[in-house]
Amino acid sequence: DYLRQGNPQDAPGHFLQWLCARRRVVAWRCDAEVFDIGNRDDYARAQAEFDAVKQAAFGITPWGGSW
């Protein structure tokens, strides 16, 4: 509905404003690091960071597959 009404596709603040006028909206607070994954490069960077943490904390190494 939001997009069909001609609203911007990549404007999260506008979408929330639109949605709050129509539905009950709740939020969840996250005090940890958050990754904004918008494309494959962002995903690869986030995955590399997760792999480094797993290896440092638990000795778990990445399996080396590709997606």
Side-chain angles (χ1 to χ4, degrees):
D1 290 345
Y2 173 81
L3 294 175
R4 275 184 283 172
Q5 293 174 11
N7 292 296
Q9 290 183 16
D10 194 15
H14 294 276
F15 173 69
L16 286 176
Q17 181 180 9
W18 178 89
L19 186 61
C20 285
R22 290 158 178 77
R23 300 273 191 275
R24 178 175 179 245
V25 176
V26 297
W28 175 65
R29 181 180 171 149
C30 178
D31 293 327
E33 185 173 359
V34 175
F35 294 90
D36 181 8
I37 299 174
N39 58 45
R40 287 180 180 238
D41 290 337
D42 294 338
Y43 177 79
R45 278 190 289 278
Q47 190 63 53
E49 289 197 37
F50 284 129
D51 288 343
V53 169
K54 288 188 291 189
Q55 187 168 3
F58 307 109
I60 300 171
T61 55
W63 62 278
S66 62
W67 50 281

